[in-house]
Amino acid sequence: MERRKLVFLSMMLCATGCMVLPGCQPQKKADMPPQVCTVSTDTIVYLQEGENVPSCKISLDISYLQPTSETDSISPKINTTVIKHFFGPQYETAQPDEVLQALTENYIENYKSDVKSLFEADLHNGMKPDDVPAWYNYEYQLNTEMKEGRKGIWNYTLTDFRYTGGAHPNTEITCLNVSQETGKILSEEDVFNVKDTANICKLIMNELIKEVNKRTGIDTITSLDGLQSMGILLDTYLYIPSNFILGKEGVTFYYNRYEIAPYSAGDFRLTVNYDDIQSYLKQ
């Protein structure tokens, strides 16, 4: 793995290990669909040279579709839709590697603006290398996965991990379901029958109870009261989240930390089989 060093004169910043690695994973299908490819970059930015120096680790990857022919107009449209949704309209016309570069520069700039003056002040006041607070070390990770889900749908999942000096790192998962025919992102309204919301939530509740029993190693939780005794669904009701995946075997509903439970409970990924939920779906 080739590494290159970035020099920032204002802070004597040194960045090592930055590179972009394209990788394609062909999806097996008779009609030769587009390939799922990935570009990635890994960078470490130091505030200055030396040992025990605060640093910012940046590890990013973006998955996208590589068209298999010049007549494939849907794959570029899907790439544009996904990039615009996740990263903003300013990147709508950018290629995945250009988005990586821009994001990396933004993370570096955020790191510099957050800690530069504080670190310099601490050094000026006599802070020793062994006394550098751990919160001076930042970390950003952006990982994506793109794969074929239910027939005619691409599943896209982005996991955003970041530690920026707080009490603990934060991880957020965002999911998309994209039509392979139109390139449109499917919303809850496109997929679920509104009149069946209560029935769908009941199915999700059953999976949530199973998951909590599994995590705790018990089988005594059977209702909402039992979940609330574990700190779950204390401040909110169960709902159909905007984060869901129409997979090959069923619908997976994602709840990030804090959404239905405290941080310590982690996130929840609850899958309902199509045999149970199909009658409540529009497609």
Side-chain angles (χ1 to χ4, degrees), residues 1-33:
M1 181 179 295
E2 182 181 354
R3 293 178 171 270
R4 62 186 180 86
K5 185 174 295 182
L6 305 176
V7 178
F8 299 92
L9 297 178
S10 62
M11 296 179 60
M12 300 178 64
L13 287 172
C14 295
T16 62
C18 181
M19 65 181 185
V20 176
L21 298 175
C24 298
Q25 301 174 349
Q27 304 291 304
K28 295 181 179 180
K29 198 174 181 181
D31 57 357
M32 293 298 293

Side-chain angles (χ1 to χ4, degrees), residues 171-235:
T171 302
E172 183 174 5
I173 295 172
T174 306
C175 308
L176 296 180
N177 299 277
V178 185
S179 169
Q180 294 181 4
E181 293 183 359
T182 66
K184 176 186 176 183
I185 296 174
L186 303 179
S187 67
E188 304 100 293
E189 292 77 14
D190 296 322
V191 176
F192 306 107
N193 290 315
V194 176
K195 64 182 180 63
D196 294 315
T197 297
N199 291 324
I200 295 172
C201 287
K202 183 177 180 180
L203 293 174
I204 299 173
M205 176 71 78
N206 292 338
E207 297 304 322
L208 177 59
I209 289 173
K210 291 178 186 177
E211 179 64 18
V212 174
N213 279 327
K214 178 180 177 181
R215 292 187 187 187
T216 57
I218 60 177
D219 58 3
T220 57
I221 298 175
T222 59
S223 65
L224 175 61
D225 288 341
L227 291 173
Q228 291 180 333
S229 70
M230 304 297 293
I232 300 169
L233 294 176
L234 284 176
D235 303 316

Side-chain angles (χ1 to χ4, degrees), residues 61-282:
D61 68 61
I62 296 178
S63 298
Y64 64 98
L65 293 177
Q66 180 66 50
T68 56
S69 69
E70 295 182 357
T71 60
D72 180 2
S73 61
I74 295 297
S75 294
K77 182 177 180 179
I78 291 175
N79 293 336
T80 297
T81 298
V82 169
I83 287 175
K84 180 180 179 181
H85 179 87
F86 281 123
F87 308 116
Q90 66 271 31
Y91 299 114
E92 185 173 2
T93 60
Q95 296 300 311
D97 57 338
E98 296 172 333
V99 176
L100 278 185
Q101 181 178 352
L103 291 176
T104 299
E105 292 173 355
N106 288 341
Y107 288 140
I108 292 173
E109 183 59 32
N110 288 340
Y111 182 55
K112 290 162 59 178
S113 62
D114 281 355
V115 304
K116 175 183 177 181
S117 60
L118 294 174
F119 183 67
E120 291 179 345
D122 279 345
L123 291 179
H124 179 75
N125 292 328
M127 181 179 66
K128 304 300 182 184
D130 293 339
D131 298 328
V132 175
W135 58 262
Y136 271 124
N137 297 285
Y138 279 22
E139 184 171 358
Y140 295 97
Q141 292 181 20
L142 199 66
N143 303 113
T144 64
E145 181 183 36
M146 190 174 195
K147 61 182 181 181
E148 288 189 275
R150 197 176 191 189
K151 185 177 180 180
I153 295 174
W154 286 109
N155 297 153
Y156 202 102
T157 303
L158 181 146
T159 303
D160 184 357
F161 170 93
R162 60 182 64 198
Y163 175 74
T164 55
H168 51 68
N170 289 308
T171 302
E172 183 174 5
I173 295 172
T174 306
C175 308
L176 296 180
N177 299 277
V178 185
S179 169
Q180 294 181 4
E181 293 183 359
T182 66
K184 176 186 176 183
I185 296 174
L186 303 179
S187 67
E188 304 100 293
E189 292 77 14
D190 296 322
V191 176
F192 306 107
N193 290 315
V194 176
K195 64 182 180 63
D196 294 315
T197 297
N199 291 324
I200 295 172
C201 287
K202 183 177 180 180
L203 293 174
I204 299 173
M205 176 71 78
N206 292 338
E207 297 304 322
L208 177 59
I209 289 173
K210 291 178 186 177
E211 179 64 18
V212 174
N213 279 327
K214 178 180 177 181
R215 292 187 187 187
T216 57
I218 60 177
D219 58 3
T220 57
I221 298 175
T222 59
S223 65
L224 175 61
D225 288 341
L227 291 173
Q228 291 180 333
S229 70
M230 304 297 293
I232 300 169
L233 294 176
L234 284 176
D235 303 316
T236 183
Y237 56 87
L238 196 62
Y239 56 90
I240 299 175
S242 58
N243 278 332
F244 63 90
I245 284 292
L246 298 171
K248 291 183 178 294
E249 306 298 329
V251 184
T252 300
F253 300 92
Y254 286 75
Y255 297 91
N256 284 299
R257 293 172 187 262
Y258 293 121
E259 289 189 334
I260 61 173
Y263 179 89
S264 59
D267 56 28
F268 288 89
R269 309 178 187 192
L270 310 171
T271 300
V272 179
N273 293 329
Y274 285 122
D275 289 343
D276 297 323
I277 201 173
Q278 181 59 56
S279 60
Y280 306 138
L281 304 181
K282 291 182 178 179

